[in-house]
Amino acid sequence: MIAETGEKLLVDIYKGNDGDTLDKLRLVKYHEKVFTGSKQVQPKVLPPTSAAAKYHSYRVFYQVQEWACLGTSLELMPEEWGFQLQRGQLLPVHTDIPPAPEELMNIIRCGCTTDCSSQRCSCRKVGLSCTTACGQCRGISCLNSMLPMDEEEEETNI
């Protein structure tokens, strides 16, 4: 109930609709940023994942209970409320899921500072086109892009 209520509150804060989940809203907001922006989307501008929100909500609940019950015998175990004990210190659990699917974590991307026209480009080397994940070119400003060339560029490359 705590995780569900926390998620609903965060959906409202991020201006989601009734029935939205944070994961769905995160994807919608990501698509909005990709389609309207010219820069790489920074994760910090997106809503948290449902898993991250769950642990945040647990920690908030735990803290409020600790404050509200000062001087009473109520003893909550922090490890059950979004914290983990490491080397004698309580640290927050941020999530219980990986940051991205394994396939995405292993994606090939280049960091070329030139036009990606040589075999030094790690994308070109393995036969892939550059993508938005690539360092400087972002799959747009290079010769190894899937983007169609305009007529003037085609004439200069013939």
Side-chain angles (χ1 to χ4, degrees):
M1 185 171 88
I2 293 165
E4 186 179 315
T5 303
E7 181 159 348
K8 286 180 182 176
L9 177 65
L10 286 167
V11 166
D12 284 345
I13 289 171
Y14 282 94
K15 299 183 180 4
N17 298 319
D18 286 342
D20 279 353
T21 65
L22 277 171
D23 294 332
K24 177 185 174 194
L25 184 59
R26 184 176 171 89
L27 182 61
V28 167
K29 297 290 185 184
Y30 172 79
H31 285 158
E32 286 174 2
K33 301 264 184 218
V34 167
F35 295 133
T36 60
S38 60
K39 295 182 180 178
Q40 186 176 11
V41 178
Q42 298 296 316
K44 65 184 176 186
V45 302
L46 299 173
T49 63
S50 294
K54 172 179 73 173
Y55 286 103
H56 177 73
S57 297
Y58 288 167
R59 290 189 303 274
V60 168
F61 177 81
Y62 173 80
Q63 187 63 59
V64 168
Q65 296 308 306
E66 286 293 306
W67 287 338
C69 299
L70 285 175
T72 68
S73 62
L74 178 65
E75 186 75 29
L76 296 176
M77 298 300 298
E79 294 91 337
E80 295 174 8
W81 297 100
F83 290 96
Q84 59 186 338
L85 190 59
Q86 286 186 357
R87 288 175 266 179
Q89 286 188 312
L90 285 175
L91 299 174
V93 174
H94 296 286
T95 185
D96 56 3
I97 60 172
E102 186 67 27
E103 312 84 60
L104 190 57
M105 296 298 287
N106 293 325
I107 194 168
I108 296 172
R109 61 184 184 274
C110 74
C112 298
T113 56
T114 60
D115 61 1
C116 304
S117 62
S118 73
Q119 288 296 333
R120 289 185 8 206
C121 173
S122 54
C123 296
R124 183 179 287 276
K125 187 184 244 178
V126 295
L128 296 174
S129 297
C130 291
T131 68
T132 55
C134 292
Q136 294 225 276
C137 72
R138 304 255 187 261
I140 298 169
S141 61
C142 72
L143 297 176
N144 191 38
S145 175
M146 289 286 290
L147 294 176
M149 290 188 224
D150 63 353
E151 290 177 20
E152 187 177 343
E153 287 178 316
E154 284 180 2
E155 289 174 11
T156 60
N157 288 331
I158 294 179

